[in-house]
């Protein structure tokens, strides 16, 4: 089954996909167009992977990592399907990253990869935008590149794990304004989802609602204000967003390191 | 008297009271307690963001390395990291040493707790968004490189003790607080928040330029240079002037059986 979280008539609802409509918990059927789509889960700890597809690593002229390159994301960065992602006025390169997201369903500590599938509740799609101008070589990729407000659309659906028999063999596509710009398959991940669950749970506890964004294949290109970006993963759905201009605000002191005084 | 908010005796709701920091006493609803009579849980429930290299001495410690690979140049924007949900811990709770690790780095940090949603705030107005301050031990497994995100070193279960309480922001100048760390009663580190590269208001302005801090979120001001290391059995106390003292003991990770 496919699940969404939506706002409708001033209330937040859990909704299930049914015959092209959304079925609310109270039984009403509504049209997707009537809903405001929210992230299908309210994530607590969110892990993301850098350079987890060897073709994308080589595209960015990096060696494929020997150990998962993991970073974390905060709740400020997530928005729902059909949301708007702000592009700061000063960036020269902002690229989408279509990613399969695995949602943890049971607490996991020291779990072996053979057992990992029992700990997954389901899957969704994330678009983990990066703003390359802000890359610096400290805790790279840093939060200024990867945790900006409203810069990670996620959804539309949380699809039950039982409905995705082989998450490690799904076609992925991204379209910008209807044109196919990225194509890949989850089979090309360097570190598979079961491996990532084993790796992370070997040193920390994973909790229900935690999410792992598993990285993106090659084919990331710059995007512009007004672009409509659609990330598609086989069996999971299509996640759409548009890019808007970030409003300029009077906050002149941003971005310059004051350095050492005295 | 210091105005505090705390979670006590396993209850989720915060209670307000006063603390007498010099004499280790807390007063709630007119009843006075010794601090050690009370069981605290972490006063923080929101997202916790740490700040790397925000003490002048911490950046100096890295020295010329900042001009060489992999760093290539000194940092420009604040370098942040997340201490996730599983790291939340509190006063008097043990900090566990994993197998094969002999020492942990004790990161004495001022925790800035937010009371209002803060986005794109100016330096001049930044402190209006703060609810209060707490003491944090931002625990790490010692590691040399800060090139890649530190999840494996900083995000283990219970690696972010905070508390015992939060102190109301009124009357506190966060840029003028002394910090001491004691291990088994011996002073092992001393510093002062006046040595920050980015003052607290400046840090809040620069961080909220690109991300929102929500009520209940906590930003750590940074860890001073020369972070002390603690080993199995050590009792660690971090004291921040006008805020309080956070105490934790280092223990071997429990593996079951009697072989501890």
């Amino acid at each position: 089954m496919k699940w969404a979280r939506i706002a409708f008539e001033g209330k937040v609802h859990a909704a299930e996909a049914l015959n092209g409509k959304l079925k609310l918990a109270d039984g009403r059927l509504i049209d997707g167009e009537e809903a405001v789509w929210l992230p299908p889960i309210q994530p607590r700890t969110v892990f993301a992977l850098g350079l987890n597809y060897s073709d994308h690593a080589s595209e960015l002229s990096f060696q494929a990592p020997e150990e998962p390159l993991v970073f974390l994301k905060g709740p400020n960065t997530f928005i729902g399907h059909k949301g708007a992602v702000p592009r700061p006025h000063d960036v020269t390169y902002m690229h989408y990253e279509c990613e399969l997201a695995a949602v943890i369903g049971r607490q996991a500590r020291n779990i072996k990869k053979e057992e990992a599938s029992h700990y997954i509740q389901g899957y969704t799609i994330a678009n983990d935008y990066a703003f390359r101008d802000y890359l610096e070589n400290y805790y790279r990729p840093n939060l200024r590149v990867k945790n900006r407000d409203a810069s990670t659309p996620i959804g539309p659906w949380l699809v039950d794990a039982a409905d995705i028999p082989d998450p490690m063999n799904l076609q992925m596509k991204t379209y910008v304004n209807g044109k196919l710009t990225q194509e890949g398959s989850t089979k090309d991940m360097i570190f598979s989802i079961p491996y990532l669950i084993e790796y992370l749970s070997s040193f920390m506890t994973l909790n229900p609602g935690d999410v792992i964004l598993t990285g993106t294949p090659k084919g990331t290109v710059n995007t512009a204000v007004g672009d409509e970006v659609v990330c598609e993963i086989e069996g999971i759905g299509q996640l759409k967003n548009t890019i808007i201009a970030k409003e300029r605000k009077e906050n002149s002191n941003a971005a310059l390191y004051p350095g050492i005084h005295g | 008297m210091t105005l505090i908010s705390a979670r006590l005796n396993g209850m989720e709701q915060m209670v307000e009271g006063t603390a007498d920091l010099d004499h280790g006493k807390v007063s709630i609803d007119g009843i006075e307690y010794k601090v050690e009579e009370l069981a605290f849980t972490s006063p923080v429930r929101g997202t916790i963001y740490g700040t790397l290299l925000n003490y002048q001495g911490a950046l100096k410690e890295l020295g010329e390395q900042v001009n060489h690979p992999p760093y290539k140049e000194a940092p420009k924007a604040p370098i942040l990291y997340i201490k996730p949900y599983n790291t939340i811990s509190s006063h008097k709770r043990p900090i566990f040493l994993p197998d094969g690790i002999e020492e942990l780095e004790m990161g004495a940090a001022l925790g800035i707790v937010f009371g209002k949603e803060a986005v794109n705030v100016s330096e001049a107005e930044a402190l209006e968004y703060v609810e209060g301050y707490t003491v944090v031990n931002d625990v790490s497994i010692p590691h040399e490189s800060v090139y890649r995100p530190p999840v494996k070193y900083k995000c283990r279960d219970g690696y972010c003790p905070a508390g015992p309480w939060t102190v109301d922001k009124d009357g506190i100048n966060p840029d003028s607080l002394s910090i001491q760390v004691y291990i088994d009663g011996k002073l092992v580190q001393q510093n002062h928040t006046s040595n920050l590269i980015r003052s607290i208001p400046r840090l809040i302005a620069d961080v909220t330029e690109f991300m929102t801090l929500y009520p209940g979120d906590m930003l750590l001001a940074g860890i001073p240079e020369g972070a002390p290391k603690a080993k199995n059995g050590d009792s660690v106390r971090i004291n921040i002037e006008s805020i309080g003292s956070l105490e934790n003991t280092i223990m071997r990770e429990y593996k079951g059986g009697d072989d501890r």
Side-chain angles (χ1 to χ4, degrees), chain B residues 121-256:
Chain B
V121 306
S122 69
E123 191 171 341
E125 291 172 345
L127 295 184
E128 293 171 24
Y129 294 82
V130 172
E131 183 167 86
Y133 303 97
T134 188
V135 183
V136 177
N137 189 347
D138 178 0
V139 179
S140 305
I141 291 177
H143 56 288
E144 289 283 311
S145 175
V146 291
Y147 175 56
R148 287 304 189 189
V151 175
K152 201 169 62 171
Y153 308 116
K154 282 183 168 289
C155 303
R156 295 192 177 236
D157 292 359
Y159 273 26
C160 195
W165 45 63
T166 53
V167 168
D168 187 274
K169 68 164 175 197
D170 284 346
I172 305 282
N173 175 1
D175 292 314
S176 180
L177 300 174
S178 67
I179 297 177
Q180 295 89 25
V181 180
Y182 299 86
I183 293 184
D184 290 338
K186 185 179 162 221
L187 180 67
V188 290
Q189 188 184 26
Q190 258 197 106
N191 217 303
H192 200 273
T193 58
S194 61
N195 296 322
L196 291 173
I197 292 174
R198 280 187 171 81
S199 68
I200 309 291
R202 176 75 191 256
L203 179 65
I204 294 170
D206 287 356
V207 168
T208 63
E209 187 266 335
F210 65 91
M211 53 179 257
T212 301
L213 295 167
Y214 297 99
D217 284 357
M218 177 162 72
L219 181 62
L220 309 182
I223 298 174
E225 67 276 17
K229 299 200 175 61
K231 57 186 193 310
N232 188 25
D234 283 353
S235 170
V236 180
R237 181 159 67 92
I238 299 175
N239 183 64
I240 301 184
E241 181 183 358
S242 306
I243 311 296
S245 288
L246 173 69
E247 291 176 49
N248 300 91
T249 302
I250 314 294
M251 281 175 66
R252 272 277 160 223
E253 213 157 44
Y254 182 55
K255 289 289 191 187

Side-chain angles (χ1 to χ4, degrees), chain A residues 153-242:
Chain A
I154 189 166
W157 310 105
L158 174 63
V159 180
D160 289 341
D163 296 336
I164 308 292
D166 188 3
M168 300 317 302
N169 187 19
L170 302 174
Q171 287 296 312
M172 313 166 77
K173 288 174 182 165
T174 302
Y175 301 86
V176 177
N177 301 323
K179 186 183 158 213
L180 182 67
T181 51
Q182 182 182 36
E183 207 171 358
S185 166
T186 58
K187 72 173 157 40
D188 295 325
M189 274 187 214
I190 297 169
F191 300 107
S192 69
I193 294 170
Y195 182 91
L196 292 169
I197 290 174
E198 175 172 326
Y199 172 75
L200 293 167
S201 77
S202 74
F203 59 81
M204 62 191 283
T205 302
L206 302 179
N207 286 291
D210 288 355
V211 183
I212 305 172
L213 313 186
T214 54
T216 201
K218 75 170 180 187
T220 54
V221 299
N222 191 23
T223 52
V225 171
D227 282 353
E228 182 190 87
V229 180
V230 175
C231 295
E232 180 182 286
I233 299 182
E234 182 185 357
I236 308 210
Q238 283 193 330
L239 170 69
K240 188 196 298 187
N241 74 274
T242 48

